[in-house]
Amino acid sequence: MGHKAMPTGSVRQRCGRYTVWALLLITGLVVVVPSSFTAQPKREANSFAPPSWYDRTVQHECVLGTDYLGRSYAAVLGRAISATTRVAFFGTAAVLFGVLAVGTLQGSTQSKLLGAILASGNLGVMAVPQVAVLITIATSWSRTSPAWMVNTSMMAVLVLFAIPTGARLIAERVRSVNQTRFVAASQAFGASWWYTFRRDVFPHLLEDIAWIVASVLPMFVAVEVGLAYLGIEYREFEGLGRALAKSFGSIFNGIAQFQLVVTIAVILWVALIPQIILKLLNVRGFAEESV
Amino acid sequence: MLPSEAMDEQPQNQSGGVLLRASDLCFAYSSGAKSQSFELIVDELQVHAGEVLVLCGASGSGKSTLLSILAGTQRPDSGRVDLLTDGVTRDLYGCGRQQWKASRHDFGLVYQDVRESLNDRRRVIDSVLDPLLVHDLPKSNIGACVNVWQRIVELVRWGGESERQKKQRAIALDVLRRVGLQAEQADRFPKNLSGGQRQRAAIARALVTQPRLVFLDEPTSALDVSVQASVVSLLRELHQENPVRGYVFVTHDLALARQLADRIAVLDRGRLAEIGPADEVLRSPTSNAGREMVAIARRELDALG
Amino acid sequence: MSDALRIEGLSVYGQGQYDFGRQNADERESNDPLSGQQNTAASGARGYEVISQVNLSLRAGKVLGLVGETGCGKTTLINSILGLLPASLSVASGRILIDPEEQPVDLLQLNNRQRAAYLGLRIGYVPQDVRSGLNPLMSARQTVREGAKRKRDRKHQRSAITQRTDDALRRAGLSDDFLRSDADRRPGRLSGGQCQRVLIAQAIVNEPSVLLLDEPTASLDPTSRHQVLETIRRLADDGAAVCLVTHDLAAIASMVDSVAVMYLGRLVEIGSADQVLRHSRHPYTRGLLGCVPRLDEKRTLQPINGEAPVSGNGLTGCRFYPRCPLRQIQCEVDEPQLSKAQLEHQVACHVAE
C-alpha cells in the first residue's frame, strides 16, 4: 500500500490534541487543587508592610508586602486568584453547557416555542441590569444563611443571564451547518444524530465556543470583584474582590497604593487570560489546523 | 485491488435485475420561491442493476426531489420505495429506523454544491472515512463483545492507529486514488483542493462503502466545462469497472445525459413526462418537455459544428 | 460599426502574497509532472500577475463572448473596467477607453466620482451571482427603479421613471403578465430566470452603450438560459456593445458574434464565432471544445490535461505549455504573441496552423 502515514498531518493533529489536553489539565489543577496548596497564610508582620525588597529594614520576607491582616500579600493573592478562577471556571462551564444544550436543541429542532423563549430571554437580559438583580438577591439573603447558598443563587443568575445570547449564536450556527450538503450527505449514509453532531457540526462551533468563553469568563471575574468591592461578600470566601476592596479601603495606610496597583494588574490578567489564549492560539487557525 | 471484502461474500445481483422500485409516489410541497404548491406524482419507476438512469428536467420539475425520495432521504407523502437486494425486498420508508440505517451502505450520494459537499473543518480523508466508521465496515468476524473491547483498546491507545483503523484508512485511500486523488491530497482540507478535486472526493465518499446504488444530484453543474469533462470520464470508468452498480443522475443538460445515460427520464412539473432508452428519447422525444429540451440543446450545439 | 469600449494593453497585478495554499501543495506532488514546474517562482516585485497585456474592443451592436476556466481573470477584467477591483489587485498598465473613436475617455484615469458618471449610465453591469446580486428586501420593480433614478432628468419626473422602469423590464424579456402581477414581489419569490432578467433590466434601464454580463446563465436551466440569451441578443441588435463572460462555450455558441478565449490572464485566441468555434486553432480552445458533451454521438470526452494553475507566475514561455498536447521546445522559452495571420482571427500559439 502506497500510503505512508502522513507525518505532517498526524504530528500537527496530535500537537493540537495535546494542547487541548494540557489546557484542560491546567484548568483542572486550578479548580480542583485544594486550598492546602495555598493554605491560609499566617500573620507575618504589621498590616500593609512594604515589600521586602523595597524596605530592607523590615523583618519579614514578603515579596509583595503584607495585607490588612499582616499576611504575605503574595500568598493572599495566590489564594484569591485560585478562588476567583474556580468560581469563574465553574460558572463558565455551566454557561457553556447550557448554551450548547439549548442552542443545539433549538438549532436542530427549530422549535418555535424554544425560539420564542430564547428571544424573550434575550430581551429580558438586555432590559434588566444584571448587577441590579445580583445586588437584590445578595441583600435579600439573611446574614446568617450559608455562604454556599448565596453563592449558588448568584451563580445561577449569572448563568441564566449569559445563556440566551450564547444559545442564539449557537442555534444559528447549528442551523446553518445543518443545512449544508455535507450534513445531508452524512445523514444520507446513515450516521446517527450524535455522530453527525460530533464530526460535522461541532468543529464549526469551536469559534463560537471560544468567543463565549472569552466573554463569559471575564464577566464572572468582574462580577465577583465588583460585588465584593460593594461589600456583598461572604467571610469564608477570599477572592480577588476582597483583596481589591481591602487595599483600596486603606489606600492611605502604609504602602497600600502599591498593593492596589498589583491587585488591579492581577485582576486584569485573570480576566483577560482567555482572550490572550485565543490570540496566542489564533483560534480559527487552530480549529482548522490549516496548512 | 478494490476493498470489497464485505461485498464479495454476498451473491451479486444479476445485471439487469431490478434494484430499486418506486411505486405510487406522491409528494406535495409548497416551493417557497413562488408560493405555489407543487405535486410530484410518479406511478412507477425502476432502477436496474448496472444501468445509469438520468433524470432530466427544467428547474422546478421535481427532479432533485425525486432523487431524494429514491435515495431514501426524503419521505414521500404516500407510496413506497423498495430496495431489492439478495432476494430480500425492503421498503425504505416502511421499515424501521434500524433497518433503514442498516441499508444505508447500499446508497451513495453526491450533491451539487462543490463548496459545501465536504466539511471544510475536516481533512478530506476523515470525511471519506465516515461511512466506514458509521457502518463499521469492513465487517469484522469477531464477536460484538470483542468489538467493544477493541473499541476500548482503541480509545486507550489514542493517538496511534489500530490495525482496524489502518485497514479502513487503506480502503479510503484506495478509493480516493481510484477517483484520482493521491494520499497527500487526501490529507488536506477541502479549501486547499480545486473544485474538481473536491467533487472527486465527494464521489469517493459515496463509493467507499461499495454501494449498489449511487445517486448524483447535478454533480458537475458548478464546475468548469473542462473539469466537468474529466469528472464525467471518471464516472464512466467507474461504471465500466463495476457493471452491477446502478446510477441515478440528475441533470438539466441533455448532452451531458447523453454521455452517461442508459435510460433517460424526462420530468415536467412534477410528472414523469417520458422515460425510455437514451437514444430513443433523444432521437424522437414523445413529450412536449422532452421535445423542447432536445430542440434547445440541438440548437446550441449546432453552432459548435 | 464603431467600437464602444476599447481595452489597450491592460495588465493587472496582485499585491503581496497570494494565498498559495493550493499551489504550494501542488508543488509537492512528485507524481504529477504537470503542476510541479510551473509554480516554483515566488511572486515578483510587482506581485503576482492576474491579467497581462490584454487588448480587446467591444463593438456596438455585437456580442463578444469572453471564455475561460475559473481563475483565468475574466471577472477581474470586468471589474477593472468597472473600477471594482479588490484592494489587493491594481492595474499596472494599460488604458480602458470608452467611446474611443469620438471622445475617448480613459476610465482608469478617473476618480470614483467621475467614474460614477459612467457606471450604470454608459456602462451596464450584470453581476455573477443572481441571488446575491439582488437586494432581498426590494421588489423587482423597486430594484430597477433605483437604477432608473440614477439618470437625472429635470423635465420628466416620477411618471417618466416609472415608464422607463417598465420599459426596461419589458426589454429584459419579462412579460406584461409579470409586470402586472409579479413585478412587486421580492426576489425570494421569483424564479432564477426571472431574477436574472430583473438584473438585466436594472443594467439596461438607462440604455447604456456597453453591457457587461458576468456568467449570466450559470445557474439557469437550458430553457431559461436560452430565453435569457435571446434577450441579450436582442439588446445587442438594438445597438448595445455586449460582453458576455462565461466558462460554457456551448451555452453561448449560438448567439455570439465574436469570441475571445482567455487562459491565465492572457488572451490566447480572438475571432469571429465561426472562426473560433468551428475552426479553432489554439490547442486550448480545441481542448475546451473537446470537453463539451455533444448530443449526437456518445464519444469520449477529452478533458484537457491537468488543471489550470492558480497563477501564471514563474512560467516563461507559453502559459499553456505544461498542459499542451502539441507543445514543442520553443514553447517553453518563447512566449507567443497574438498573431495577425488572418484578419480578425488572432491566435497566440507557435504551433497553431
Side-chain angles (χ1 to χ4, degrees):
Chain A
M1 295 274 157
H3 73 286
K4 286 178 207 151
M6 272 26 92
T8 48
S10 311
V11 165
R12 198 176 288 117
Q13 220 162 355
R14 243 177 263 184
C15 282
R17 283 181 182 174
Y18 289 147
T19 319
V20 170
W21 282 108
L23 281 175
L24 286 179
L25 197 69
I26 294 169
T27 312
L29 279 178
V30 171
V31 175
V32 176
V33 163
S35 32
S36 65
F37 192 65
T38 50
Q40 184 73 34
K42 292 188 188 67
R43 187 183 170 89
E44 308 219 353
N46 298 329
S47 45
F48 292 112
S52 52
W53 48 266
Y54 178 74
D55 188 348
R56 304 263 171 200
T57 58
V58 295
Q59 290 302 305
H60 61 83
E61 292 194 349
C62 305
V63 196
L64 296 177
T66 58
D67 76 339
Y68 70 110
L69 290 177
R71 299 171 299 181
S72 163
Y73 202 61
V76 169
L77 265 187
R79 226 177 120 73
I81 292 174
S82 165
T84 302
T85 44
R86 219 177 297 175
V87 171
F89 275 135
F90 274 132
T92 311
V95 169
L96 212 52
F97 180 77
V99 159
L100 278 178
V102 177
T104 312
L105 190 65
Q106 163 66 2
S108 311
T109 58
Q110 290 293 303
S111 132
K112 284 205 174 115
L113 177 68
L114 193 57
I117 294 176
L118 272 183
S120 56
N122 221 11
L123 279 180
V125 168
M126 282 192 277
V128 184
Q130 200 168 5
V131 177
V133 177
L134 286 178
I135 292 174
T136 315
I137 287 191
T139 47
S140 61
W141 285 97
S142 72
R143 273 281 160 192
T144 50
S145 47
W148 68 266
M149 285 174 77
V150 187
N151 208 340
T152 316
S153 68
M154 298 179 78
M155 288 272 282
V157 170
L158 283 177
V159 170
L160 281 180
F161 263 78
I163 282 180
T165 322
R168 291 187 91 187
L169 196 73
I170 296 284
E172 184 52 34
R173 183 78 60 161
V174 169
R175 190 191 60 80
S176 68
V177 176
N178 268 338
Q179 282 174 348
T180 56
R181 286 307 191 177
F182 56 83
V183 169
S186 88
Q187 280 161 355
F189 64 65
S192 63
W193 180 87
W194 174 239
Y195 189 93
T196 312
F197 178 74
R198 204 158 41 105
R199 302 287 177 130
D200 286 332
V201 182
F202 190 71
H204 289 261
L205 302 181
L206 284 180
E207 280 149 36
D208 293 332
I209 290 174
W211 184 84
I212 290 170
V213 168
S215 59
V216 166
L217 200 66
M219 183 193 76
F220 276 102
V221 174
V223 168
E224 193 274 325
V225 169
L227 289 178
Y229 185 76
L230 291 175
I232 305 159
E233 51 168 359
Y234 342 108
R235 262 178 300 149
E236 293 86 348
F237 185 78
E238 286 199 86
L240 283 170
R242 170 82 59 87
L244 181 75
K246 290 301 178 190
S247 51
F248 191 74
S250 356
I251 192 163
F252 298 116
N253 181 353
I255 195 162
Q257 297 100 322
F258 167 75
Q259 282 151 353
L260 181 68
V261 171
V262 170
T263 315
I264 291 176
V266 165
I267 290 172
L268 283 180
W269 168 252
V270 170
L272 295 181
I273 279 179
Q275 307 272 4
I276 294 167
I277 292 179
L278 281 195
K279 193 70 203 158
L280 288 181
L281 284 181
N282 188 9
V283 164
R284 195 177 157 74
F286 174 69
E288 282 187 16
E289 293 175 10
S290 54
V291 182
Chain B
M1 179 203 85
L2 270 171
S4 50
E5 292 157 46
M7 297 296 130
D8 282 346
E9 291 156 17
Q10 300 161 356
Q12 289 185 327
N13 283 55
Q14 288 173 347
S15 181
V18 175
L19 203 53
L20 194 75
R21 186 177 56 214
S23 39
D24 304 323
L25 289 182
C26 178
F27 181 72
Y29 61 92
S30 51
S31 73
K34 299 186 103 178
S35 72
Q36 289 167 349
S37 62
F38 178 90
E39 226 179 3
L40 177 73
I41 295 179
V42 174
D43 293 336
E44 176 86 35
L45 188 65
Q46 293 176 340
V47 184
H48 302 277
E51 79 163 348
V52 181
L53 173 68
V54 172
L55 305 178
C56 248
S59 43
S61 61
K63 52 191 193 307
S64 287
T65 312
L66 181 57
L67 181 103
S68 318
I69 293 175
L70 292 179
T73 56
Q74 173 75 62
R75 181 177 288 277
D77 295 339
S78 65
R80 53 185 289 156
V81 180
D82 294 317
L83 176 69
L84 295 90
T85 50
D86 316 323
V88 182
T89 304
R90 187 186 275 161
D91 181 3
L92 283 182
Y93 297 103
C95 64
R97 176 88 187 154
Q98 283 306 316
Q99 290 260 315
W100 180 84
K101 256 188 183 175
S103 73
R104 288 323 291 171
H105 67 82
D106 276 337
F107 294 83
L109 273 94
V110 181
Y111 290 103
Q112 170 184 8
D113 198 321
V114 183
R115 245 171 258 128
E116 273 191 357
S117 57
L118 292 174
N119 190 341
D120 52 338
R121 296 292 168 89
R122 303 177 65 205
R123 291 172 194 282
V124 169
I125 179 86
D126 293 332
S127 289
V128 175
L129 271 171
D130 268 352
L132 291 180
L133 296 177
V134 165
H135 293 290
D136 207 18
L137 291 171
K139 288 272 178 276
S140 44
N141 40 10
I142 29 180
C145 52
V146 184
N147 224 349
V148 170
W149 174 242
Q150 217 172 28
R151 285 277 168 83
I152 296 171
V153 170
E154 276 167 23
L155 217 67
V156 174
R157 289 184 40 182
W158 161 91
E161 276 185 330
S162 70
E163 280 303 311
R164 183 169 176 71
Q165 282 169 325
K166 276 183 191 155
K167 203 168 171 185
Q168 288 175 330
R169 200 181 158 81
I171 290 176
L173 284 172
D174 225 22
V175 177
L176 279 167
R177 196 170 316 119
R178 183 63 208 86
V179 300
L181 292 173
Q182 302 306 316
E184 191 273 329
Q185 292 162 318
D187 220 35
R188 292 193 207 161
F189 286 93
K191 67 167 183 184
N192 294 325
L193 295 178
S194 67
Q197 289 170 331
R198 260 176 290 190
Q199 206 56 298
R200 283 161 186 271
I203 293 174
R205 182 181 53 193
L207 294 179
V208 74
T209 55
Q210 298 288 318
R212 291 166 209 260
L213 276 160
V214 178
F215 295 82
L216 303 110
D217 190 356
E218 307 207 32
T220 61
S221 68
L223 301 176
D224 275 339
V225 180
S226 50
V227 183
Q228 165 180 302
S230 64
V231 171
V232 168
S233 305
L234 169 71
L235 288 174
R236 277 171 78 165
E237 282 168 30
L238 289 170
H239 181 46
Q240 278 156 13
E241 231 165 58
N242 186 342
V244 295
R245 184 177 293 155
Y247 287 82
V248 181
F249 190 100
V250 161
T251 181
H252 56 227
D253 187 349
L254 266 188
L256 185 63
R258 164 80 195 198
Q259 305 304 312
L260 290 162
D262 295 318
R263 286 197 301 154
I264 293 183
V266 178
L267 277 128
D268 184 26
R269 278 164 289 172
R271 303 289 190 283
L272 207 54
E274 64 177 300
I275 181 165
D279 293 334
E280 268 175 43
V281 171
L282 290 177
R283 203 180 321 116
S284 49
T286 53
S287 65
N288 282 335
R291 266 196 293 276
E292 190 187 328
M293 288 177 74
V294 170
I296 287 175
R298 214 169 276 288
R299 195 170 337 161
E300 278 181 4
L301 291 168
D302 277 350
L304 289 180
Chain C
M1 282 287 185
S2 59
D3 287 0
L5 184 91
R6 193 184 291 155
I7 301 173
E8 291 177 355
L10 181 75
S11 296
V12 177
Y13 279 81
Q15 298 292 311
Q17 200 64 40
Y18 187 81
D19 178 16
F20 281 108
R22 179 182 146 203
Q23 228 178 324
N24 289 336
D26 280 334
E27 272 175 46
R28 281 186 257 125
E29 275 166 46
S30 50
N31 46 5
D32 187 359
L34 293 177
S35 48
Q37 61 229 33
Q38 48 190 301
N39 303 317
T40 42
S43 51
R46 285 200 290 176
Y48 59 96
E49 166 193 282
V50 182
I51 291 180
S52 168
Q53 293 295 324
V54 165
N55 294 302
L56 207 61
S57 47
L58 304 182
R59 303 250 166 90
K62 299 283 179 194
V63 181
L64 171 78
L66 188 59
V67 181
E69 286 171 287
T70 306
C72 74
K74 42 196 203 307
T75 299
T76 306
L77 185 67
I78 297 291
N79 284 344
S80 39
I81 298 175
L82 297 166
L84 291 178
L85 286 180
S88 58
L89 301 182
S90 62
V91 175
S93 65
R95 301 196 295 172
I96 297 175
L97 301 175
I98 187 155
D99 207 359
E101 271 145 37
E102 278 147 40
Q103 296 172 296
V105 178
D106 187 354
L107 286 176
L108 294 174
Q109 302 299 325
L110 303 180
N111 61 28
N112 284 344
R113 182 194 288 255
Q114 289 165 328
R115 198 183 294 115
Y118 289 90
L119 301 185
L121 300 174
R122 300 283 298 277
I123 303 176
Y125 167 59
V126 178
Q128 189 162 15
D129 192 345
V130 181
R131 293 284 172 194
S132 66
L134 285 171
N135 183 342
L137 297 179
M138 275 162 107
S139 73
R141 192 172 263 132
Q142 275 174 317
T143 305
V144 181
R145 242 183 112 84
E146 285 304 303
K149 281 187 198 159
R150 292 265 292 108
K151 195 170 186 175
R152 294 279 154 84
D153 201 340
R154 218 174 299 157
K155 274 182 288 177
H156 306 97
Q157 287 306 317
R158 232 169 235 200
S159 58
I161 288 180
T162 311
Q163 177 72 36
R164 292 218 322 270
T165 303
D166 285 8
D167 190 44
L169 284 166
R170 229 170 263 132
R171 277 192 296 140
L174 291 162
S175 61
D176 288 338
D177 257 3
F178 177 89
L179 285 178
R180 264 194 304 280
S181 59
D182 295 346
D184 293 315
R185 290 189 172 174
R186 292 177 176 176
R189 304 176 54 155
L190 302 176
S191 73
Q194 287 171 331
C195 285
Q196 188 65 66
R197 282 145 193 278
V198 172
L199 273 177
I200 292 177
Q202 189 191 23
I204 60 170
V205 66
N206 294 321
E207 299 181 7
S209 53
V210 178
L211 186 58
L212 309 170
L213 301 110
D214 199 350
E215 298 274 7
T217 58
S219 54
L220 305 180
D221 63 60
T223 315
S224 26
R225 179 171 73 195
H226 181 70
Q227 289 160 353
V228 166
L229 288 176
E230 268 185 353
T231 306
I232 295 172
R233 179 72 250 179
R234 243 191 337 272
L235 292 171
D237 292 340
D238 289 347
V242 179
C243 177
L244 194 62
V245 171
T246 184
H247 70 264
D248 194 353
L249 271 175
I252 60 159
S254 58
M255 55 78 69
V256 288
D257 297 302
S258 52
V259 177
V261 184
M262 230 175 152
Y263 184 73
L264 280 185
R266 274 139 221 270
L267 288 178
V268 294
E269 185 163 4
I270 316 177
S272 70
D274 181 61
Q275 285 165 336
V276 175
L277 299 177
R278 285 171 183 265
H279 308 101
S280 58
R281 286 161 59 209
H282 198 284
Y284 177 63
T285 316
R286 288 186 191 163
L288 281 182
L289 287 166
C291 290
V292 177
R294 306 301 169 93
L295 209 51
D296 293 319
E297 78 249 66
K298 193 167 178 173
R299 75 186 166 122
T300 330
L301 297 177
Q302 292 140 350
I304 311 175
N305 249 341
E307 281 188 24
V310 180
S311 142
N313 263 340
L315 286 181
T316 45
C318 175
R319 287 329 189 234
F320 190 57
Y321 165 78
R323 299 170 75 187
C324 186
L326 306 174
R327 62 184 160 197
Q328 293 175 356
I329 304 165
Q330 183 193 11
C331 304
E332 194 181 354
V333 248
D334 199 8
E335 189 181 347
Q337 301 297 322
L338 281 176
S339 68
K340 274 232 168 177
Q342 290 170 15
L343 194 67
E344 297 283 289
H345 190 190
Q346 306 177 42
V347 188
C349 183
H350 296 303
V351 194
E353 282 311 317

